[in-house]
Amino acid sequence: MSTHSNTPSNSSDPIARSTGNSFDMKVGLARMLCNGVIMDVIDVEQARVAEDCGAIAVMALERVPSDIRRDGGVARMSDPKMIEEIKAAVSIPVMAKVRIGHIAEAQILEAIGIDFIDESEVLTPADPHLHVDKHPYKTPFVCGATNLGEALRRIHEGAAMIRTKGEAGTGNIIEAVRHLREVRRGIDELRALTDEQMTEKAAEYRIPLELLKQVRTLGRLPVPNFAAGGVATPADAALCRQLGAESVFVGSGIFKAESPTKLGKAIVEATCFYNDPKKLLEVSRGLGKAMPGLEIGRIEPQALLANRGW
Amino acid sequence: MTNTVGILGFQGCIEPHQRMLSAIGAESCLVKSPEDLSRISRLIIPGGESTTMLRFIKRYEMLEPLRRFARTSPVWGICAGAILSAREVHNPEQDSLGIMDIAAHRNFYGSQLDSFTTQLTINGLTQPMESQFIRAPLLSPLAATAGRPEPTVESSLPGQPVFISQGNLWASSFHVELGSSSALHERFLAL
């Protein structure tokens, strides 16, 4: 799959190194991104603002989810040129999105040397049955999930990070909360299951029993679990952290708001001090208008992005 | 005197340290303000994004308190933490605590595609340590500032120092908290 060959090991190297696509390595980078904010940016200028606000990574894409939702049509991987320009402009990791199941887009992003690939329901799915088999890639993947079964299918396929799908581009946090709670409920439920019921549950989730047992033992997902989809305020970020999200993606929320820099910084602070109400109060004051929001019930069911993915 | 290990708690790979410390019976707490430093005996600056952490350190006016803490207490900077500890930071240049006489060259080993795991031989440890290099910086010792001991290379890959100590201060470009051995954490607790 990958032709990347910058592998430091050779015969003159006395130390054996295992490089690239070991699953643990990919989860390792995901762990470095914990306790932080990943911001959607559409150009170099926004990427610099995001870095200055204290983002731990940026997601480079041509249109933020709320614009994709408004424009309709097919949403695809961004132009590699703009991704490369953003990569050159910032020192923090850069992520980019591929369509669900689009292995060629994923290969292109890996060839760029992107730090993380988001196989995202925000773009129009490319495969009606399968997600990308993520194991052969050296680049780590993040995937969205609405419940435990979906999260574990993605991890079994090789995702090194899980995020809630939420409902991207709505500025409405309810779906992200639903998904965080669903994953938690699914994990808690495992404790009460007999061996036979565990086997049935693994079959229901379409994953190996071993992975399900691992989750039961750990009491959490074996990879970091982030929140995404609908985060629009510092309080939204703190809510997600309190519900167990280890970091927060903010898509349309920052650059569709009245004062992106102020809001971006405030969301970074709130993500760090999520359990400190006084600090949350301090950072929430006077931020200007948040992005316009959408009620989920007013969205046609076929337009719900969270339903994409299998 | 407290024996609690502080972990700089603004951002990054915090939880694996908490788990590892708890497994060897050590108390730990997050450090997010100058006052928190009075509750700890030693500090880990974890991996993560050094630019993000630096922003928090400045905003919460912790540059000087951290420098003072490091004059008397052990500090272990890991990856991004090593960058923050370094006197000189390159690629790009960036402010830092400057508590150790080392230079850090950011992202020297490349992007995520060039991250790797290896078994590392470390001075004072009988067993090699499983070590992960994740977008790691290159560390190199500099001449000691007056009044400080000389920096010592405790482990290297061919031609490249990866673990440097200077008195009670440590800088490692690799991660051990993601592996299964707590040997280096135990040694840090003994400083």
Side-chain angles (χ1 to χ4, degrees):
Chain A
M1 181 70 59
S2 166
T3 54
H4 193 88
S5 61
N6 191 5
T7 306
S9 59
N10 57 50
S11 54
S12 68
D13 186 343
I15 296 169
R17 304 181 192 186
S18 67
T19 54
N21 66 358
S22 102
F23 185 64
D24 290 347
M25 287 304 313
K26 298 179 197 171
V27 177
L29 183 72
R31 297 232 180 271
M32 298 310 135
L33 300 177
C34 281
N35 308 292
V37 181
I38 299 151
M39 299 184 189
D40 279 8
V41 298
I42 60 164
D43 54 32
V44 165
E45 191 189 340
Q46 288 190 357
R48 292 205 175 110
V49 169
E51 188 173 38
D52 183 50
C53 285
I56 37 155
V58 291
M59 176 77 70
L61 74 177
E62 276 161 355
R63 291 178 293 168
V64 294
S66 64
D67 289 341
I68 291 174
R69 189 177 281 286
R70 186 199 59 207
D71 297 350
V74 174
R76 313 181 178 91
M77 177 187 77
S78 297
D79 186 336
K81 183 166 173 284
M82 73 79 75
I83 298 171
E84 285 167 329
E85 283 167 1
I86 286 173
K87 208 169 172 296
V90 295
S91 69
I92 54 180
V94 178
M95 306 184 172
K97 292 181 192 293
V98 299
R99 286 177 265 180
I100 289 171
H102 206 311
I103 54 176
E105 285 186 348
Q107 289 159 11
I108 291 167
L109 288 188
E110 176 153 282
I112 289 176
I114 201 88
D115 293 294
F116 240 100
I117 296 173
D118 183 6
E119 186 182 19
S120 177
E121 70 285 355
V122 166
L123 304 184
T124 310
D127 190 309
H129 306 294
L130 296 175
H131 284 247
V132 173
D133 172 12
K134 293 163 268 288
H135 287 292
Y137 295 80
K138 286 182 166 184
T139 313
F141 279 70
V142 53
C143 288
T146 60
N147 56 48
L148 181 62
E150 203 176 2
L152 295 180
R153 283 195 291 282
R154 299 295 86 81
I155 293 167
H156 179 53
E157 291 158 2
M161 180 198 291
I162 292 296
R163 55 168 176 76
T164 62
K165 287 181 176 171
E167 189 55 32
T170 61
N172 190 339
I173 199 65
I174 186 170
E175 296 305 303
V177 169
R178 189 194 309 279
H179 302 158
L180 281 169
R181 287 204 187 278
E182 269 302 301
V183 170
R184 185 72 254 163
R185 193 188 59 75
I187 294 170
D188 290 344
E189 183 188 76
L190 298 179
R191 275 197 302 242
L193 299 189
T194 63
D195 288 353
E196 197 184 353
Q197 288 168 322
M198 281 289 282
T199 307
E200 284 167 13
K201 190 56 88 176
E204 178 196 325
Y205 285 167
R206 292 177 274 143
I207 55 158
L209 179 59
E210 283 315 305
L211 178 55
L212 200 63
K213 283 184 177 168
Q214 189 193 359
V215 172
R216 180 164 71 175
T217 307
L218 289 171
R220 56 179 168 79
L221 295 179
V223 305
N225 186 24
F226 290 10
V231 177
T233 66
D236 288 346
L239 169 64
C240 293
R241 292 294 316 269
Q242 289 184 30
L243 294 176
E246 291 169 271
S247 280
V248 178
F249 286 83
V250 189
S252 322
I254 289 172
F255 291 99
K256 287 290 175 188
E258 193 180 3
S259 314
T261 305
K262 256 196 209 168
L263 183 64
K265 286 184 176 173
I267 290 179
V268 168
E269 302 274 324
T271 300
C272 175
F273 293 96
Y274 66 95
N275 49 8
D276 181 342
K278 279 191 185 147
K279 194 74 80 182
L280 294 177
L281 165 64
E282 188 186 307
V283 304
S284 297
R285 278 199 196 101
L287 296 175
K289 275 206 187 94
M291 69 176 283
L294 259 183
E295 253 197 85
I296 306 299
R298 305 222 173 239
I299 305 170
E300 294 292 325
Q302 67 271 21
L304 287 173
L305 303 176
N307 292 341
R308 295 169 166 179
W310 349 107
Chain B
M1 178 68 186
T2 168
N3 206 21
T4 304
V5 183
I7 304 169
L8 193 68
F10 293 126
Q11 189 276 315
C13 188
I14 295 165
E15 207 204 350
H17 285 291
Q18 293 173 311
R19 261 187 250 132
M20 197 160 257
L21 288 165
S22 149
I24 55 177
E27 294 280 326
S28 71
C29 73
L30 298 187
V31 171
K32 296 185 189 179
S33 72
E35 299 77 60
D36 291 339
L37 290 169
S38 64
R39 291 192 269 278
I40 61 167
S41 66
R42 58 200 72 229
L43 178 71
I44 291 174
I45 308 180
E49 280 307 309
S50 60
T51 46
T52 306
M53 287 189 228
L54 186 63
R55 202 188 147 267
F56 274 105
I57 288 172
K58 286 180 172 173
R59 176 165 157 76
Y60 290 95
E61 298 179 342
M62 290 188 69
L63 275 173
E64 279 312 315
L66 284 167
R67 285 172 183 150
R68 266 199 306 278
F69 181 84
R71 274 184 221 129
T72 54
S73 311
V75 177
W76 179 10
I78 297 162
C79 196
I83 294 169
L84 288 171
S85 294
R87 203 177 82 206
E88 286 179 12
V89 181
H90 306 288
N91 187 39
E93 287 190 11
Q94 172 173 299
D95 286 350
S96 60
L97 296 168
I99 55 178
M100 289 185 71
D101 291 310
I102 58 172
H105 192 97
R106 294 180 66 197
N107 295 326
F108 176 81
Y109 296 92
S111 71
Q112 172 69 11
L113 291 176
D114 308 297
S115 295
F116 57 94
T117 303
T118 190
Q119 297 291 323
L120 213 55
T121 307
I122 296 174
N123 282 354
L125 292 185
T126 47
Q127 299 288 324
M129 283 292 285
E130 182 188 331
S131 309
Q132 293 190 311
F133 290 76
I134 300 172
R135 303 177 90 237
L138 173 70
L139 305 180
S140 40
L142 301 171
T145 302
R148 291 181 184 173
E150 286 297 325
T152 308
V153 174
E154 304 281 358
S155 180
S156 24
L157 293 175
Q160 296 158 0
V162 294
F163 180 22
I164 299 174
S165 71
Q166 188 172 21
N168 281 339
L169 306 177
W170 287 6
S172 67
S173 56
F174 55 89
H175 298 266
V176 293
E177 73 279 7
L178 301 169
S180 52
S181 167
S182 56
L184 214 48
H185 283 77
E186 284 168 45
R187 210 179 128 199
F188 182 64
L189 286 174
L191 284 179

